[in-house]
Amino acid sequence: MNLKEILSPDCTRVRVAESSKKRVLEYISQLLAPKLAGVSKSDIFDSLLQRERLGSTGIGLGIAIPHGRLENAGQPVAALITLEQPINFDSIDNQPVDLVFALLVPKDNPEIHLKTLSAVAERLNNKECCRNLRHAKDDADLHQLMTQDPAQCN
């Protein structure tokens, strides 16, 4: 999965100043809503929140990958943010989160959902890549780092 196809520069933000999981999910919903015609911010927020109720998407090491499926989504879209201050995300390792990659996919395409989640998790499993993302100097730098060839992370 080529992340450039789903992660646009305008959905990439560094040092976001939100203080809770709920506020982060609301912020992400606001970023992604313009990318999905016929889908509201509240539809996105509800989808992300519904998934969080099944279990935290905080995967550990300061990383969360909130995701959801939407009935009216025509294509997958993503957002990537770093947080100014780490927040509690109920992660599996109980560590606060400062790196959040959110993904929304069409409800009728579970295959793309799993493939994309796998590609993102693989990228974020690279410690050097995560270090680079956390030290991105601006939104454009963050986008470029996330969408570059994974071999360039090292």
Side-chain angles (χ1 to χ4, degrees), residues 29-45:
S29 299
Q30 186 175 345
L31 274 181
L32 291 175
K35 299 291 176 191
L36 296 166
V39 178
S40 70
K41 288 185 284 194
S42 63
D43 291 337
I44 294 169
F45 179 71

Side-chain angles (χ1 to χ4, degrees), residues 71-134:
E71 196 73 47
N72 297 327
Q75 77 279 348
V77 294
L80 174 64
I81 64 172
T82 62
L83 298 172
E84 196 170 85
Q85 296 294 319
I87 62 164
N88 178 12
F89 217 88
D90 303 313
S91 298
I92 59 171
D93 64 357
N94 295 316
Q95 295 301 307
V97 163
D98 66 344
L99 188 57
V100 182
F101 186 96
L103 173 67
L104 293 165
V105 298
K107 192 169 194 161
D108 60 354
N109 197 340
E111 185 178 315
I112 192 80
H113 190 183
L114 295 175
K115 275 185 173 178
T116 307
L117 277 178
S118 176
V120 169
E122 184 178 329
R123 172 72 57 95
L124 297 178
N125 196 35
N126 180 317
K127 288 180 182 169
E128 188 64 28
C129 183
C130 287
R131 185 173 322 136
N132 293 342
L133 293 171
R134 287 182 168 108

